[in-house]
């Protein structure tokens, strides 16, 4: 197989683009996809400050490197979840990566915020992945706002977005369907959120990370066994294999034709937001979800005779 | 005989009569865009031929959360 661009031996075949690239040309393809995403979805400009959420996985680190290479003003944010044998490894990869490339990094430790994930898993009777996601989103938004950043960028790729859309569609969840997309404008206490990798698949970001020599944290989270999105990704992967390009078409056409309708519906039915009584984050109740989780955790631990 | 190291599981297996990357992926029940296939530090496309004694790394790309 030869490179579509320069005819050298290819290293990466991309059936959905009916193309293949060599190690020299693939990063150019990757850069172009990110540039197109930022431009078409009006994500941010070179004059703005971008906070990039860094988990230590291939997507977030690839995104951070690519945005810095494109000359954007980026700062990384890693959230240390305090999960034994997992969080220290992820944090070490992120810190080494940022040091190697001379990139700014902030680290937030959830244990210092009274929300260590192992205690939440033990004492909160809700799926831990859901609560963990809520806590991460809360602090991404809060730190971005308090730090005066213009946008928060996450490494969500096309597989993540298509799997999430599939899950939301299975439930016809109009609330989530109304605001799923690669750019969520900042409003009502929420920072602008962007996903510059939404045009690229997990396979493509993995190729990029490999070619750029990025050392990633690839161990799955010890608490995420059987996460439903993994199953959805496999289903969509089979569909993509039989019909290359169908994943992007599913997501892109939703953005063009589906989301506007759900947005209108949510405008009519959605709950108004106001600042949380405790932390000031936007919420539809008196207290935001994370402050309520912290209170429940403290209460349940006290009843069990434990403390943080 | 081909030695295959599978990541992130850290498993290792041996395959016989496997002459191409696509045949290797089929034996592992993987689609071509579900894993990176690496030999001597180089990425391989599905059409690439494999040889006796090759040591191959298969890196699955689906992140599990």
């Amino acid at each position: 197989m030869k490179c579509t661009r320069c005819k050298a031996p290819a290293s990466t075949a991309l059936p959905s683009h009916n193309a293949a690239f060599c190690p020299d040309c693939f990063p150019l393809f990757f850069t172009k996809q990110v540039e197109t995403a930022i431009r078409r979805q009006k994500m941010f400009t070179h004059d703005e400050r971008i906070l990039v959420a860094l988990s230590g996985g291939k997507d977030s680190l690839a995104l951070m490197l690519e945005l810095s290479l494109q000359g954007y003003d980026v700062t990384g944010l890693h959230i240390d979840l305090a999960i034994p044998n997992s969080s220290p490894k992820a944090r070490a990869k992120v810190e080494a990566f940022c040091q190697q490339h001379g990139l700014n990094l902030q680290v937030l430790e959830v244990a210092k915020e009274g929300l260590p994930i192992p205690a939440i898993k033990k004492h909160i009777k809700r799926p831990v992945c859901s609560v963990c996601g809520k806590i991460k989103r809360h602090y991404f938004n809060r730190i971005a706002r308090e730090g005066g950043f213009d946008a928060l960028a996450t490494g969500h790729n096309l597989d993540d977005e298509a799997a999430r859309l599939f899950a939301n569609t299975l439930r016809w969840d109009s609330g989530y369907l109304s605001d799923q997309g690669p750019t969520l404008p900042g409003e009502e206490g929420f920072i602008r959120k962007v996903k510059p990798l939404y045009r690229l698949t997990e396979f493509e970001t993995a190729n990029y990370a490999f070619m750029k020599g990025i050392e990633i944290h690839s161990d799955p989270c010890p608490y995420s066994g059987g996460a439903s999105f993994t199953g959805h990704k496999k289903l969509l992967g089979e569909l993509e294999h039989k019909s290359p390009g169908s994943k992007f078409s599913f997501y892109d056409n939703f953005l063009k034709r589906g989301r506007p309708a759900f947005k209108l519906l949510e405008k009519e039915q959605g709950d108004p937001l106001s600042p949380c009584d405790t932390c000031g984050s936007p919420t539809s109740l008196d207290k935001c979800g994370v402050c309520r989780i912290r209170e429940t955790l403290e209460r349940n631990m006290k009843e069990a005779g434990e403390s943080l | 005989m081909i030695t295959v190291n599978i990541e992130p599981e850290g498993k290792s297996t041996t395959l016989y009569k496997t002459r191409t990357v696509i045949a290797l992926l089929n034996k592992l029940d993987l689609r071509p865009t579900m894993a990176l296939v690496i030999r001597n530090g180089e990425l391989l496309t599905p059409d690439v031929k494999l040889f006796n004694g090759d040591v191959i790394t298969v890196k699955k790309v689906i992140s599990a959360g």
Side-chain angles (χ1 to χ4, degrees):
Chain A
M1 198 175 285
K2 287 185 176 174
C3 175
T4 307
R5 192 168 172 270
C6 74
K7 308 303 173 200
S11 59
T12 306
L14 302 178
S16 60
H17 291 271
N18 196 22
F21 295 105
C22 68
D24 289 334
C25 294
F26 181 80
L28 302 175
F29 159 81
F30 191 90
T31 297
K32 202 175 167 192
Q33 292 297 324
V34 174
E35 284 174 346
T36 302
I38 293 169
R39 188 180 66 251
R40 286 202 189 154
Q41 298 294 331
K42 298 181 176 62
M43 291 185 178
F44 43 75
T45 68
H46 280 90
D47 299 324
E48 294 184 307
R49 292 178 64 226
I50 319 301
L51 187 67
V52 183
L54 300 179
S55 65
K58 64 186 182 311
D59 303 300
S60 62
L61 297 186
L63 172 65
M64 183 75 172
L65 181 62
E66 180 58 29
L67 292 182
S68 72
L69 291 174
Q70 290 190 22
Y72 288 102
D73 181 354
V74 285
T75 297
L77 169 62
H78 177 69
I79 297 190
D80 186 326
L81 300 169
I83 300 172
N85 303 319
S86 174
S87 298
K89 286 185 196 168
R91 180 173 174 169
K93 292 279 183 194
V94 172
E95 287 176 337
F97 168 84
C98 288
Q99 194 170 21
Q100 184 192 348
H101 295 281
L103 299 165
N104 297 327
L105 174 67
Q106 290 184 26
V107 177
L108 177 112
E109 297 177 9
V110 290
K112 286 187 179 166
E113 304 294 324
L115 294 162
I117 301 302
I120 283 171
K121 186 176 191 298
K122 190 174 172 190
H123 294 284
I124 302 281
K125 288 188 182 96
R126 282 176 56 188
V128 68
C129 292
S130 149
V131 180
C132 180
K134 192 184 249 310
I135 291 169
K136 284 192 282 188
R137 287 190 296 275
H138 172 88
Y139 283 105
F140 288 154
N141 189 59
R142 201 163 145 185
I143 290 170
R145 280 174 58 213
E146 290 173 359
F149 289 91
D150 297 289
L152 170 77
T154 55
H156 290 103
N157 56 45
L158 178 60
D159 293 76
D160 298 324
E161 287 298 279
R164 189 176 159 210
L165 174 59
F166 185 55
N168 290 339
T169 306
L170 285 177
R171 297 193 314 274
W172 291 113
D173 190 321
S174 61
Y176 285 140
L177 288 166
S178 72
D179 70 359
Q180 185 183 349
T183 299
L184 288 182
E187 55 185 5
E188 295 185 280
F190 287 109
I191 191 88
R192 186 192 328 153
K193 295 189 191 76
V194 295
K195 298 167 185 167
L197 301 184
Y198 87 94
R199 298 176 62 84
L200 290 150
T201 63
E202 213 147 30
F203 179 67
E204 288 158 358
T205 54
N207 273 268
Y208 181 84
F210 180 82
M211 287 174 192
K212 293 286 183 185
I214 299 174
E215 288 277 329
I216 61 166
H217 173 69
S218 56
D219 300 354
C221 174
Y223 295 168
S224 77
S228 59
F229 276 14
T230 312
H232 293 158
K233 280 182 182 177
K234 282 180 183 160
L235 273 174
L236 290 169
E238 283 301 313
L239 183 67
E240 179 73 19
H241 179 70
K242 290 191 174 94
S243 177
S246 57
K247 227 173 344 193
F248 185 76
S249 171
F250 175 53
Y251 185 64
D252 198 45
N253 284 317
F254 160 74
L255 294 178
K256 288 174 183 157
R257 295 167 201 167
R259 190 172 67 159
F262 287 105
K263 211 164 194 151
L264 276 176
L265 185 69
E266 202 56 22
K267 228 174 210 172
E268 289 170 12
Q269 300 177 350
D271 295 325
L273 297 176
S274 58
C276 165
D277 290 346
T278 308
C279 74
S281 293
T283 175
S284 57
L285 301 170
D286 295 341
K287 270 199 173 82
C288 75
V290 170
C291 286
R292 280 183 278 134
I293 289 164
R294 188 185 289 107
E295 280 183 2
T296 310
L297 180 64
E298 283 168 1
R299 193 173 55 243
N300 290 355
M301 288 185 79
K302 204 174 172 185
E303 283 171 8
E306 292 181 28
S307 63
L308 285 170
Chain B
M1 183 189 87
I2 291 164
T3 306
V4 186
N5 299 315
I6 303 166
E7 294 179 8
E9 289 90 339
K11 286 182 193 163
S12 192
T13 186
T14 306
L15 296 177
Y16 297 90
K17 291 183 182 174
T18 309
R19 297 181 206 284
T20 60
V21 170
I22 189 71
L24 177 147
L25 289 169
N26 284 339
K27 285 190 178 174
L28 297 177
D29 201 19
L30 288 167
R31 299 302 190 189
T33 55
M34 289 180 183
L36 304 186
V37 182
I38 303 155
R39 178 176 60 194
N40 299 328
E42 289 185 357
L43 292 167
L44 307 178
T45 51
D47 59 318
V48 168
K49 285 184 180 162
L50 300 177
F51 302 102
N52 259 338
D54 275 352
V55 178
I56 304 291
T57 300
V58 172
K59 271 191 182 188
K60 294 182 188 173
V61 302
I62 292 185
S63 53

